[in-house]
Amino acid sequence: MKQLVSMEHLSNEEIYSLIETAIEYKQGKKVHKLNDTYVANLFFENSTRTKCSFEMAERRLGMQEIPFETSTSSVKKGESLYDTCKTLESIGVDALVIRHPQNDYYKELEGLNIPVINGGDGSGQHPTQSLLDIMTIYEEYKKFKGLNVLICGDIKNSRVARSNYQALTSLGANVKFAAPDEWVDDTLDAPYVKIDDVIEETDIVMLLRVQHERHDGELNFDPHEYHEKYGLTKERYNRMKPNAIVMHPAPVNRGVEIDTELVEAPKARIFKQMKNGMFLRMSVISHIIAEQQKGVLIDVAN
């Protein structure tokens, strides 16, 4: 794996390998130290979980982070994304983590000689979020084949929905969507259902934030009405199977996608997802750097 920009580019074998390494990191079995390796995190959209967990992952791997802030960079002078990345490559950065509002931004970076890790591109892909979700599901069920997954919310504008649909379907899960008509994504082949029709047979309920920033201010949105039609209410939660789980990529709008009392309920795995994100991103980085350096993952004692 030379870089990670889309779940479409990962085989099932690579997904399992990344998860296995992440679980080993989480269990404290090994650490792959990447001393004298430099990384820059380029976030052109706001982020808490993704940015901070990448930073923590990089530090735990022993990497040196080159600070980058879009507000004080030459981007403000009109520098292109490619030239910004090529500059960082030229001064010795070994890898780039990028979040950008443009779909498929990484296609403009094919002239780079260092790996790119996609931290989210517009409404396109969010591969590390998908992988940490998959890791969380795997820890719970030890399988994917036959699991019933319901993804609820702003499907059309969600890179999480797209990435997870592609990966989980490939792994053998049954993925369904629930969304208002105006947020249906016709490019994805999953069936659309009513949440109340399937809640009792679903293994994983994955809730999505409404992507207000991608609606150009034209969204006529009633949070209470949305919660009643598409959110996880306490009544729906109580109808879920005993071993079913609740997931959300966050940030969570409490009382909109999910009742505030359910965010840390027994079936909720939302904060576990966040914890897993750091270990999963450690795994992604170490696999990519090993490939870049034509080496193998070397175990170093904690």
Side-chain angles (χ1 to χ4, degrees), residues 41-57:
N41 301 306
L42 285 64
F43 276 69
F44 295 86
E45 286 187 323
N46 295 336
S47 174
T48 299
R49 276 148 294 279
T50 303
K51 188 173 188 291
C52 291
S53 65
F54 264 116
E55 290 173 347
M56 181 64 78

Side-chain angles (χ1 to χ4, degrees), residues 16-31:
Y16 277 111
S17 179
L18 289 167
I19 292 172
E20 287 167 2
T21 300
I23 291 174
E24 288 173 347
Y25 282 144
K26 185 176 180 179
Q27 294 173 343
K29 292 183 178 180
K30 59 182 174 183
V31 174

Side-chain angles (χ1 to χ4, degrees), residues 11 18 23 99 155 224:
S11 67
L18 289 167
I23 291 174
R99 169 172 287 189
I155 305 296
H224 177 74

Side-chain angles (χ1 to χ4, degrees), residues 24-300:
E24 288 173 347
Y25 282 144
K26 185 176 180 179
Q27 294 173 343
K29 292 183 178 180
K30 59 182 174 183
V31 174
H32 303 126
K33 288 296 185 180
L34 302 175
N35 300 325
D36 300 320
T37 304
Y38 297 86
V39 62
N41 301 306
L42 285 64
F43 276 69
F44 295 86
E45 286 187 323
N46 295 336
S47 174
T48 299
R49 276 148 294 279
T50 303
K51 188 173 188 291
C52 291
S53 65
F54 264 116
E55 290 173 347
M56 181 64 78
E58 291 153 6
R59 284 166 171 77
R60 291 188 66 148
L61 290 169
M63 302 180 78
Q64 300 294 316
E65 181 192 347
I66 304 303
F68 180 89
E69 295 294 337
T70 57
S71 61
T72 57
S73 74
S74 291
V75 171
K76 292 297 183 180
K77 300 178 182 178
E79 184 174 62
S80 69
L81 177 62
Y82 177 83
D83 286 345
T84 297
C85 295
K86 199 68 178 176
T87 297
L88 292 166
E89 175 192 307
S90 299
I91 65 174
V93 170
D94 297 291
L96 300 172
V97 177
I98 305 175
R99 169 172 287 189
H100 200 279
Q102 178 182 327
N103 284 20
D104 302 332
Y105 71 81
Y106 44 82
K107 292 181 179 178
E108 300 177 9
L109 305 179
E110 293 178 356
L112 294 182
N113 298 307
I114 57 174
V116 170
I117 302 173
N118 184 7
D121 64 293
S123 58
Q125 289 279 335
H126 198 346
T128 59
Q129 178 67 48
S130 179
L131 287 165
L132 72 88
D133 291 343
I134 291 169
M135 174 183 174
T136 304
I137 293 170
Y138 184 75
E139 285 185 318
E140 200 75 28
Y141 295 102
K142 306 302 181 192
K143 67 172 186 176
F144 301 100
K145 189 172 182 179
L147 292 177
N148 294 318
V149 182
L150 177 65
I151 303 180
C152 306
D154 191 355
I155 305 296
K156 185 176 182 179
N157 295 287
S158 175
R159 53 197 173 207
V160 175
R162 180 174 299 275
S163 295
N164 275 334
Y165 169 73
Q166 292 167 343
L168 289 170
T169 299
S170 177
L171 290 164
N174 305 311
V175 181
K176 297 178 180 178
F177 293 148
D181 291 342
E182 60 270 29
W183 297 344
V184 167
D185 187 344
D186 293 327
T187 67
L188 300 176
D189 197 28
Y192 282 81
V193 298
K194 293 182 179 180
I195 186 171
D196 287 313
D197 290 344
V198 299
I199 192 69
E200 293 170 347
E201 62 191 47
T202 299
D203 298 298
I204 299 105
V205 176
M206 187 176 296
L207 306 159
L208 302 175
R209 180 180 66 87
V210 179
Q211 305 275 312
H212 290 282
E213 68 274 20
R214 305 194 197 284
H215 290 277
D216 298 323
E218 300 176 356
L219 183 64
N220 184 14
F221 183 72
D222 183 331
H224 177 74
E225 180 181 356
Y226 179 87
H227 181 64
E228 290 301 314
K229 289 185 177 180
Y230 300 99
L232 187 64
T233 62
K234 285 180 279 189
E235 186 273 335
R236 289 183 178 124
Y237 177 91
N238 290 333
R239 288 167 53 199
M240 293 172 62
K241 299 196 304 190
N243 65 336
I245 62 173
V246 178
M247 302 178 70
H248 193 307
V252 177
N253 292 302
R254 292 171 180 252
V256 182
E257 304 101 43
I258 180 172
D259 190 287
T260 188
E261 296 179 19
L262 302 180
V263 173
E264 297 183 74
K267 295 174 185 174
R269 300 293 182 269
I270 298 170
F271 287 100
K272 183 178 182 180
Q273 289 172 259
M274 298 178 198
K275 181 175 182 178
N276 284 345
M278 190 271 296
F279 295 108
L280 187 282
R281 289 172 174 123
M282 288 176 67
S283 175
V284 168
I285 293 168
S286 57
H287 276 264
I288 288 174
I289 295 299
E291 173 70 19
Q292 180 193 35
Q293 297 177 350
K294 303 301 180 183
V296 295
L297 296 179
I298 300 173
D299 295 352
V300 180

